[in-house]
Amino acid sequence: MTPLDSSVALWNPREHNRNNCEWKLTVMATSAVARETVFALRRQIAKIEGTLPERLEAPAGAAPVDAPRNPTADVTPQNPTADIPPQDLTIVRRGLAVAPPDAFLRTGAEGLDTALSGGLPKAALSEIHGAATRDAGAVAGFALSLVSLILKQGPRLPVLWIGTAEIFREAGFPYARGLHALFGIEPEQLLFSEAPRLLDALWTAEEAARMTALAAVILEIRGSPQRLDLTATRRLHARAQNAGRPVFLLRQAGESEPTAAPVRLVLSAAPSAPRETIAGPLAGSIGRPAFTVSIGKSRTALPGQFTLEWNPDERSFEERRTGEERAANPVPVVSASRRGKDPAAASGAVLAFPAVGSPAPGDQPSPGERAAHRRPRRAG
């Protein structure tokens, strides 16, 4: 037998195929067990943290979610997910959240919406935190702005605001006329529930969060109570997911403690910019309400800080622009009239009273009027 014949005799194609199949079965069995273990851990972590039911984008090189499964694909170190069903390819990666467009509430500020991967989740618990008591007005105003965005998109259902007697006594109630003028909310659409204890407020919020007849539920808490823990916030988050309605947790003058809310925004008031006119900013004027928004916690975003202005006419947020951006994008104004050939001359200074000097002789009061002015006023 020649050396070539001996090499052919040593290599058996059937034996090679059998060994290859046994290796594939071993790898598939190992990967199946590991996959079940990983999925069980994921489910347990999601149950603890209250993860949103959103699917996240798979990394580069993995099979697309809608692609059919290829049972004959080779499992290699370069392609370890070849035998995994596409529907199980749920890889958690920061900033790559994939969800339906209507799953998020867009604020209108592109920077904040992009950082939050689309906006605030609608069917979830969102935490709005104010570090000090003086920030209570900013926190409440931001929450009312979010409610205005919700009512603008969907049916105008009522909103329930829940709090304890302590928080309402310290921070007060929203002003009815301001609700309509700044946020487009009718006073009868905002319902208040004052609970004597925190335990009663939490129970009311849990029961209200499951109701689909409400556009949103707001729970305002002061300080860092012990009962507001992961268990209580996890129940609120689960009720919001099941009902498909947002629940806003307003924290006043409390510490940043762990909660089940996927997003935590830290709010404070920002100085309002002067009003914009044709001639430029109006000195000494007060412009739109402004907020300093910091992303304290998010599962799909990195920490960041933004300065937002609330536009009461458009019912949306706008990110504050710098001086260069204002020059490039001036405020739109009404164009000048083109009927006349020459524009009217600018008017001079108009004063209600003479600037200097005494009144004219003809403007002096008569002797009878002078005597009347000297008489003392009657009480009442």
Side-chain angles (χ1 to χ4, degrees):
M1 182 178 293
T2 61
L4 180 60
D5 297 336
S6 62
S7 63
V8 173
L10 290 176
W11 183 79
N12 189 344
R14 295 183 177 179
E15 185 69 20
H16 174 75
N17 291 336
R18 186 176 64 83
N19 294 336
N20 192 20
C21 292
E22 290 178 354
W23 177 82
K24 286 186 178 181
L25 291 175
T26 303
V27 172
M28 291 175 65
T30 305
S31 62
V33 174
R35 184 170 67 254
E36 292 298 329
T37 304
V38 171
F39 287 163
L41 291 175
R42 284 180 181 174
R43 286 191 293 268
Q44 187 67 17
I45 294 174
K47 183 178 179 181
I48 294 175
E49 295 184 350
T51 305
L52 290 175
E54 58 197 20
R55 304 196 64 81
L56 304 182
E57 185 177 358
V65 174
D66 298 332
R69 180 184 177 186
N70 185 8
T72 61
D74 294 335
V75 180
T76 61
Q78 291 77 19
N79 190 17
T81 62
D83 65 328
I84 301 178
Q87 61 271 18
D88 293 335
L89 287 176
T90 304
I91 311 299
V92 177
R93 298 185 64 189
R94 185 185 297 273
L96 295 178
V98 176
D102 58 346
F104 297 97
L105 176 64
R106 299 188 63 86
T107 62
E110 294 297 332
L112 180 60
D113 292 338
T114 303
L116 295 175
S117 300
L120 289 173
K122 289 183 179 180
L125 173 68
S126 298
E127 182 179 352
I128 305 174
H129 185 87
T133 304
R134 62 176 176 268
D135 300 323
V139 172
F142 188 81
L144 290 173
S145 303
L146 297 179
V147 171
S148 178
L149 294 175
I150 295 173
L151 298 178
K152 180 181 176 181
Q153 297 178 1
R156 301 185 66 83
L157 299 175
V159 177
L160 181 60
W161 193 313
I162 307 168
T164 59
E166 177 188 9
I167 191 67
F168 288 138
R169 182 174 61 252
E170 189 69 27
F173 293 87
Y175 185 50
R177 291 187 178 180
L179 289 175
H180 181 73
L182 292 178
F183 309 104
I185 303 175
E186 300 298 334
E188 59 269 15
Q189 287 183 284
L190 192 58
L191 310 177
F192 291 92
S193 175
E194 183 176 339
R197 299 177 303 168
L198 175 61
L199 184 63
D200 301 326
L202 289 174
W203 179 86
T204 306
E206 291 180 17
E207 294 299 319
R210 68 169 66 186
M211 299 176 59
T212 58
L214 297 174
V217 176
I218 301 175
L219 175 61
E220 191 173 11
I221 300 298
R222 178 175 171 81
S224 302
Q226 185 177 2
R227 292 186 178 275
L228 191 67
D229 53 4
L230 277 173
T231 303
T233 55
R234 197 178 302 124
R235 288 199 298 264
L236 289 173
H237 181 56
R239 299 289 175 84
Q241 286 181 308
N242 295 333
R245 295 290 189 273
V247 176
F248 299 115
L249 175 61
L250 310 187
R251 298 285 304 278
Q252 307 288 6
E255 300 294 335
S256 298
E257 298 179 345
T259 61
V263 178
R264 175 191 295 140
L265 300 180
V266 182
L267 260 293
S268 62
S272 296
R275 294 183 179 180
E276 293 288 342
T277 63
I278 300 177
L282 183 60
S285 62
I286 300 177
R288 300 169 179 172
F291 308 90
T292 300
V293 183
S294 301
I295 302 178
K297 181 186 73 170
S298 176
R299 296 174 185 171
T300 59
L302 294 173
Q305 182 172 318
F306 307 86
T307 301
L308 306 183
E309 293 182 351
W310 173 251
N311 189 338
D313 300 321
E314 300 293 336
R315 302 284 194 269
S316 64
F317 284 102
E318 296 177 2
E319 195 167 355
R320 176 169 292 177
R321 299 174 296 178
T322 60
E324 294 78 6
E325 292 175 345
R326 288 196 185 97
N329 301 283
V331 176
V333 296
V334 180
S335 59
S337 176
R338 298 182 181 180
R339 295 182 180 180
K341 296 181 179 181
D342 299 325
S347 60
V350 179
L351 301 176
F353 302 98
V356 292
S358 59
D363 294 337
Q364 293 292 338
S366 61
E369 292 176 349
R370 292 177 184 175
H373 285 298
R374 292 194 186 100
R375 287 198 298 266
R377 297 179 180 178
R378 293 178 297 177

